[in-house]
Amino acid sequence: MANEIWTIKRCLEWTKEYLAERGEEHPRLSAEWLLCSATGLARIDLYMRMDETLNAAQLETMHAAVVRRAKGEPLQYITGSTQFRMIDVACAPGVLIPRPETEMLVEEVLNYLDAEVLSPEAAARQRVELPWNDEVEQARKAEAALADERATAERRAANLTAADEAALGSDVLGSRAYAEELADREAEEAAAQAAEAEAMETPEPELDEYGIAIDGADQETASAQDAAAPASAEPRIARVLEVGCGTGCISLSLAWERRGHVTCTATDIEPRAIDLATKNRDALGLTSDEVAFSLTNLVSSIPREEWGTFDVLVSNPPYIPTDVMRSLPHEVKDFEPDLALEGGADGLDIFRRLLNAAPYMLRAGGLFACELYEGALDAAAELCRQAGLSDVRIVHDLTNRPRIVRAIVTEPKQRQ
């Protein structure tokens, strides 16, 4: 094989056929992934450089990768990375591979943070969408008044006859130009006075940080809050606790997409997961102050003084029911870690422990959100209600399967 000429095109076609014969579900896509990893090219570049020849090192890498894939090993372990939302995430055996469904879990958390934590004032106010607010209507009326006054002034100037001009004299005070200028000035003054009078009747609305007017009583409340708030108050920083971080994709995405506004504390019981998550954090240029990883069992390492201070407790815990584990695809069952997959008889063993911890970890109004097995969501939602959480919701994934349960802690607890 090394003595033959292997172009990108020939290698792509051969790999596709080889994997298809061994039951690969998407052989061409897998072949593209492997070739991109071996050559360092993007997928589009493969098709722009089909006639280029692979060198000996690339061929050796490609050969080893094809053998591993033919045995069922996940592509993400072979190539060493995957894309998750806006970031690239390193992957390695022993650590769960990020799934597209988990991207929706991040989205749920971001939606909550944006509405309830990062800009709670805007979320609480009634919004009056521009351009239908009072400010625009006031400007429209002033403009109309000015136009009417200008039209009157033009008519007045046009009606001046030659005799009128002679009677007024030839100096600037008696000229038609001055009459027009004076009429324009009077019209502008009248319009300004009209606008000022109307503004006194309808106060100019206060705009929030998004340029949206604050309506009525909400404006008065906001003004009172602004007056009471210290002038030097720092912007709100959201605090997120993630349990079972794996590659770190959830916490890293939250901190990356809301950098400077979100800090995360993430835990995992697997040392390889903590090492890999730290590597991914460093690759993104995030600091330990922005995302802190801790090797521990669930929330055991969280200092007592931090209990009740988190805005969100989020997790993608082991959730596959024991009976379902036996029917998982070969590349999942035989390559990904059972510790990150199996969730007990009903898939809710770890979830129950997280639910018990949530009222101690979260502040009042904090969000508890978990990704779970599709057949366990109704039971999980009922457990949340029984635990006293409010606003319990089930979120469906892109295939319309129930995937996420989210609820609000209304009554935090303190351990005696």
Side-chain angles (χ1 to χ4, degrees), residues 11-241:
C11 191
L12 179 63
E13 295 299 324
W14 184 92
T15 302
K16 180 190 70 172
E17 294 176 7
Y18 182 83
L19 294 177
E21 291 172 357
R22 283 153 181 78
E24 173 69 49
E25 188 176 0
H26 304 289
R28 187 174 190 88
L29 181 61
S30 294
E32 291 172 347
W33 272 43
L34 296 177
L35 261 174
C36 288
S37 179
T39 62
L41 298 175
R43 284 177 66 192
I44 190 171
D45 292 331
L46 293 179
Y47 292 91
M48 300 293 291
R49 302 163 72 167
M50 280 289 193
D51 294 331
E52 287 192 14
T53 303
L54 276 68
N55 60 40
Q58 290 170 335
L59 276 174
E60 183 178 353
T61 299
M62 189 66 184
H63 178 265
V66 171
V67 170
R68 292 171 65 183
R69 182 57 187 161
K71 293 179 179 178
E73 186 172 352
L75 284 166
Q76 294 89 339
Y77 287 162
I78 299 171
T79 63
S81 68
T82 192
Q83 188 170 18
F84 186 85
R85 290 181 64 90
M86 297 174 63
I87 62 176
D88 289 325
V89 178
C91 300
V95 183
L96 189 70
I97 297 168
R99 276 16 183 221
E101 294 85 357
T102 309
E103 296 187 4
M104 295 189 62
L105 180 60
V106 173
E107 189 71 17
E108 285 297 315
V109 173
L110 287 175
N111 288 341
Y112 166 81
L113 292 177
D114 288 345
E116 304 297 336
V117 181
L118 300 183
S119 56
E121 313 84 38
R125 297 170 185 167
Q126 180 181 353
R127 295 180 174 220
V128 183
E129 296 295 338
L130 293 170
W132 307 112
N133 60 33
D134 292 340
E135 182 183 33
V136 173
E137 181 65 14
Q138 179 180 316
R140 187 193 65 77
K141 290 181 179 179
E143 185 176 347
L146 179 59
D148 289 342
E149 293 294 340
R150 283 186 180 278
T152 301
E154 289 172 1
R155 288 193 297 271
R156 185 196 310 170
N159 288 333
L160 286 176
T161 63
D164 293 330
E165 288 184 345
L168 289 171
S170 60
D171 62 346
V172 67
L173 291 177
S175 69
R176 182 190 295 268
Y178 181 77
E180 294 173 349
E181 180 183 345
L182 182 61
D184 286 346
R185 190 181 302 169
E186 290 173 350
E188 291 173 357
E189 290 175 354
Q193 290 173 357
E196 183 177 356
E198 190 163 344
M200 292 178 65
E201 296 176 1
T202 305
E204 183 178 352
E206 179 184 350
L207 302 181
D208 64 14
E209 63 268 35
Y210 299 101
I212 298 174
I214 305 169
D215 192 31
D218 292 325
Q219 180 175 339
E220 297 177 4
T221 301
S223 299
Q225 291 175 343
D226 292 342
S232 60
E234 293 294 329
R236 177 82 154 85
I237 302 296
R239 302 193 73 233
V240 175
L241 172 61

